[in-house]
Amino acid sequence: MEGMRQRWAFYLLLPTVLLLAIFQLYPVLYAFYISFHTYDMMSPPVFVGLGNYLRLFSDTQFLNSLWVTFFYVFWTIVPVIILSFFLALAISRAGSLGGVWRLLIYLPSVLPFVSVALVWKLLYNQRGPVNDILGELGMQAIPWLTNSTWAPWALIGMSWWHATSYYTIIFLAGFLFLPKDPFEAAIIDGASRWQTLRLVTIPLMKPTIALVVVLATVNGLKAFVFQLVLTDGGPANATQILTILIYKSAFGYMEMGRASTYSIVLFTLVMLISLIQIWLIQERRNA
């Protein structure tokens, strides 16, 4: 009987394992293999050893994209985490209106990325609503998507709106499961709201904060659609994050070896962040 259960478990898991092996494991292994070659998809791969990896240190496009990626991730996650935290805190105290606010806050997360990007592209247009508002305030119109100084900030601003909705719900889940005893004790001791937030709420929310930091960092490293639709990595590569560089190298310049090398670097960064997440969760369980 036990042997039959194990066989059925194997048969039921086999389709999922095959899908993961074919569409996730094999592409990663093949990209790792191609990263040691030059390959244009027209002729057989030519082995170059560590050549593609050694080129990274002098590859100005890669170094620029790495900097742009970290700049985007940092200025996205820090404001988003702060905003999401306090929005979730406010919603958790909203009483009967909490359900309505949860729906409205979460709505941007379920919208298609391309649709969101196209709407924001219209908003950032030279004659779009954002510049119309600036004009009403007596300010000059800003070339949001065509200026190398403003374009990164335009994408960061859009990411605040889009990402905040998702992480607010995660923070809200954390707030709803906090124990009530520490807060009741703080009220009895005469703690102010700021003292309660600093000494009770934030320490209790540390595991959730750590989880959101990890998720936001990983999602920031994997960003692609917004940069592609709004700026295509421009102007002057000011918004060309690693995923855009990988896409252009592979399908624009047909340099699959370089693109695979960039992909392995990105994969390593995401893997390290994921391992940190697992470690944080295990530390929380063991505490």
Side-chain angles (χ1 to χ4, degrees):
M1 189 68 177
E2 186 65 28
M4 184 177 294
R5 283 185 175 182
Q6 291 179 352
R7 283 197 298 272
W8 271 108
F10 173 77
Y11 295 145
L12 292 172
L13 290 173
L14 185 60
T16 301
V17 173
L18 287 175
L19 286 173
L20 290 173
I22 294 171
F23 294 105
Q24 293 195 24
L25 181 60
Y26 172 74
V28 171
L29 295 176
Y30 188 69
F32 185 70
Y33 167 77
I34 291 296
S35 69
F36 296 102
H37 299 72
T38 57
Y39 181 42
D40 60 2
M41 294 194 293
M42 301 295 179
S43 54
V46 178
F47 182 73
V48 293
L50 295 174
N52 288 328
Y53 289 94
L54 294 175
R55 279 183 58 185
L56 293 177
F57 299 99
S58 58
D59 189 336
T60 55
Q61 273 200 322
F62 169 75
L63 295 175
N64 175 73
S65 292
L66 194 63
W67 160 250
V68 171
T69 301
F70 285 131
F71 182 87
Y72 173 79
V73 169
F74 177 81
W75 286 108
T76 296
I77 65 174
V78 173
V80 162
I81 289 171
I82 295 172
L83 184 58
S84 301
F85 182 89
F86 286 103
L87 269 175
L89 181 61
I91 293 172
S92 68
R93 299 174 177 175
S96 59
L97 294 176
V100 177
W101 283 111
R102 282 197 293 270
L103 175 63
L104 294 176
I105 289 293
Y106 190 63
L107 188 59
S109 296
V110 299
L111 298 175
F113 278 31
V114 174
S115 301
V116 171
L118 290 173
V119 169
W120 276 89
K121 192 170 185 177
L122 292 173
L123 292 175
Y124 281 135
N125 189 277
Q126 187 71 18
R127 297 185 178 180
V130 175
N131 279 329
D132 286 344
I133 294 172
L134 293 179
E136 292 295 328
L137 297 174
M139 302 170 64
Q140 293 290 328
I142 295 174
W144 293 104
L145 302 178
T146 57
N147 182 280
S148 59
T149 300
W150 289 106
W153 291 107
L155 285 163
I156 289 168
M158 183 191 65
S159 70
W160 294 346
W161 175 84
H162 187 264
T164 297
S165 64
Y166 177 69
Y167 300 118
T168 298
I169 298 302
I170 296 177
F171 275 126
L172 183 60
F175 282 124
L176 294 178
F177 284 95
L178 290 180
K180 298 186 182 299
D181 293 345
F183 294 95
E184 293 173 353
I187 293 172
I188 293 172
D189 291 340
S192 64
R193 285 192 175 185
W194 167 246
Q195 290 173 326
T196 303
L197 175 66
R198 183 169 58 88
L199 300 175
V200 180
T201 306
I202 292 179
L204 289 175
M205 286 290 290
K206 277 184 179 179
T208 306
I209 294 171
L211 175 63
V212 170
V213 169
V214 172
L215 290 175
T217 304
V218 170
N219 290 332
L221 290 171
K222 297 190 300 180
F224 176 74
V225 174
F226 292 156
Q227 282 78 2
L228 182 69
V229 174
L230 267 72
T231 62
D232 195 27
N237 296 332
T239 61
Q240 183 172 273
I241 58 177
L242 272 175
T243 51
I244 296 294
L245 179 62
I246 293 168
Y247 173 77
K248 288 185 175 181
S249 298
F251 303 107
Y253 310 134
M254 305 297 286
E255 295 181 347
M256 298 300 297
R258 288 180 62 190
S260 297
T261 305
Y262 301 148
S263 299
I264 295 300
V265 172
L266 181 60
F267 173 80
T268 303
L269 290 173
V270 173
M271 181 63 69
L272 287 174
I273 298 296
S274 300
L275 290 174
I276 292 172
Q277 177 183 1
I278 294 171
W279 177 78
L280 289 171
I281 293 173
Q282 288 177 342
E283 285 290 309
R284 174 60 179 170
R285 287 177 179 174
N286 296 331

